Amino acid sequence: MPKLVIMLSDNDIARAYHALVIALSAKSIGYDVHLFATGLGAFIFSKKPKTRLIGLPYLASLYIKWKIRKIGAKSLEELAAECIRSGVKIYVDEPVVKMLGVRPIDGVEVAGSLTFLALAKDAELVLTF
């Protein structure tokens, strides 16, 4: 089974959305998918998720979030839960957990950079967001 490793290093909605959709798509076509969340990306998989839209004023961010709901697209929280249910292995960077006080949701493992490097070493595809 081919392996895909994704590193998500930000909680920007656009980056996180693409990372999760690619993870789910790859899982659906038979990839062994591992997603490593570091930096602000760890907030996507926390018990109190936080997202943002880089470079947009607050009202523009609200409008885009409303538009996403209006077209029936899933929220990041729903996509994260779907990833876990589908068997995507999700890891949150241990130093980030300690520094930011992130409490990962159930089904998410806490791991360090050595875990990411070991996963990436044998992967057919490594993507970063």
Side-chain angles (χ1 to χ4, degrees), residues 15-90:
R15 290 179 184 168
Y17 201 88
H18 291 297
L20 295 175
V21 168
I22 287 173
L24 286 166
S25 298
K27 189 68 179 169
S28 74
I29 60 171
Y31 275 81
D32 179 22
V33 182
H34 300 263
L35 191 148
F36 192 85
T38 188
L40 296 176
F43 280 122
I44 302 296
F45 303 99
S46 72
K47 294 192 180 199
K48 293 183 179 178
K50 296 178 187 174
T51 58
R52 64 193 179 122
L53 286 161
I54 295 176
L56 289 178
Y58 179 72
L59 288 176
S61 296
L62 285 178
Y63 173 76
I64 290 174
K65 289 178 183 179
W66 171 78
K67 195 72 167 172
I68 287 172
R69 280 193 302 271
K70 186 175 179 186
I71 65 170
K74 293 183 178 181
S75 70
L76 285 177
E77 293 82 8
E78 290 170 320
L79 287 174
E82 192 172 331
C83 281
I84 293 168
R85 278 192 307 275
S86 71
V88 172
K89 292 288 294 178
I90 299 174

